[in-house]
Amino acid sequence: MNTLINKHVHFQDLGLIDYQEAWDYQEKIFAETISVKTANRNLGTDEQLLTPNYLLFCQHPHVYTLGKSGKADHLLLGENDLLEKQAKYYKINRGGDITYHGPGQIVGYPIFDLDNFFTDIHLYMRTLEEAIILTLADYGLIAGRINGLTGVWFDFEEQKNPRKICALGVKSSRWVTMHGFALNVNTDLSYFGNIVPCGIQDKAVTSMAAELGRDLDMQEVSDKLKNHLAGLFQMEL
């Protein structure tokens, strides 16, 4: 546990960035944060350094990512099909199954030292979901959770036509997090037809644009989401 608590979070909007480039950047920050935590163990309180926190927002060119617990056959495309659709495919080190990232989607990568906030991964995941739920509510969209399933959903109570609007998948080591969430704003949903999204075969995927019948201002949605995250985590951006 940290002796010094740091609630300051460095926010960076990386814009449209290649998935591998963003992943490498996450790994760099993640490793540096863990290095500070490890070094602090052998230092007196007055010598310890604050562990940093980062919140990265971005969009990716078309890409499919498969988590550690996922099944490769949930990608329904071959190598030639991926080339034709100008999409990439990565097996990565987060939890969860397969998902899609692309333009029109807000991808968030919180690289937090949870010792600065709370050491509870379940609460961390639910807090990320809550920020999405509050952001959607700003647009009159009522979303929530489905028991046993990660992410944010529409028609989450009666479940006559449940639709997923936000996927989550994280990695944590020594209470430092990476990877995160993907909120479908103006996303081309046809790309989800090439996978079994998150390994779930009987539920649909949607976007804010699909639900509202219009495209949204990505910067406006991003700002609202960032502010909800800041409030829920009581952090200083």
Side-chain angles (χ1 to χ4, degrees):
M1 182 174 179
N2 294 355
T3 304
L4 304 175
I5 301 299
N6 179 24
K7 292 282 191 178
H8 180 75
V9 176
H10 302 281
F11 174 76
Q12 296 178 3
D13 189 332
L14 304 178
L16 184 66
I17 183 172
D18 178 75
Y19 185 84
Q20 184 69 61
E21 185 179 350
W23 187 11
D24 290 345
Y25 185 46
Q26 282 192 81
E27 289 280 13
K28 177 178 179 291
I29 297 171
F30 182 79
E32 288 173 351
T33 304
I34 288 179
S35 178
V36 172
K37 292 195 76 168
T38 302
N40 279 347
R41 291 179 183 174
N42 301 315
L43 298 173
T45 303
D46 58 343
E47 298 175 297
Q48 292 183 4
L49 298 175
L50 293 172
T51 52
N53 308 289
Y54 284 79
L55 177 60
L56 311 178
F57 276 11
C58 64
Q59 297 181 56
H60 293 306
H62 304 299
V63 62
Y64 296 103
T65 67
L66 181 69
K68 292 186 297 182
S69 57
K71 296 180 179 179
D73 60 4
H74 286 166
L75 175 66
L76 308 178
L77 300 174
E79 288 187 20
N80 291 336
D81 299 316
L82 287 169
L83 288 172
E84 182 181 323
K85 294 184 177 297
Q86 297 181 314
K88 294 183 179 180
Y89 170 61
Y90 294 98
K91 295 180 181 179
I92 63 173
N93 58 353
R94 62 161 169 77
D97 206 290
I98 196 165
T99 195
Y100 161 77
H101 299 310
Q105 184 185 68
I106 297 174
V107 180
Y109 296 129
I111 308 170
F112 292 171
D113 178 2
L114 291 183
D115 268 325
N116 290 322
F117 302 98
F118 44 76
T119 49
D120 184 329
I121 290 295
H122 178 79
L123 177 59
Y124 171 67
M125 297 284 284
R126 303 297 80 78
T127 305
L128 294 180
E129 290 170 348
E130 188 64 21
I132 301 295
I133 291 168
L134 291 174
T135 302
L136 294 169
D138 288 338
Y139 292 89
L141 297 170
I142 307 304
R145 303 173 183 85
I146 294 178
N147 285 339
L149 298 176
T150 302
V152 178
W153 301 78
F154 291 120
D155 190 19
F156 56 97
E157 292 181 328
E158 294 186 1
Q159 296 184 41
K160 293 180 179 178
N161 179 29
R163 306 175 303 286
K164 192 172 195 175
I165 183 115
C166 181
L168 282 83
V170 305
K171 172 187 174 181
S172 173
S173 177
R174 297 180 177 87
W175 296 115
V176 179
T177 66
M178 64 178 289
H179 299 297
F181 59 84
L183 172 63
N184 297 327
V185 182
N186 300 325
T187 317
D188 181 349
L189 298 176
S190 69
Y191 276 81
F192 284 99
N194 303 315
I195 59 174
V196 181
C198 302
I200 301 170
Q201 300 190 39
D202 61 344
K203 294 178 174 61
V205 177
T206 190
S207 68
M208 295 178 70
E211 297 296 320
L212 292 170
R214 61 180 174 86
D215 281 350
L216 289 97
D217 183 316
M218 292 289 290
Q219 188 60 56
E220 180 184 85
V221 179
S222 174
D223 288 343
K224 290 179 183 296
L225 176 53
K226 178 176 64 174
N227 290 336
H228 285 306
L229 284 166
L232 291 168
F233 282 95
Q234 298 182 333
M235 62 191 185
E236 304 165 11
L237 286 173

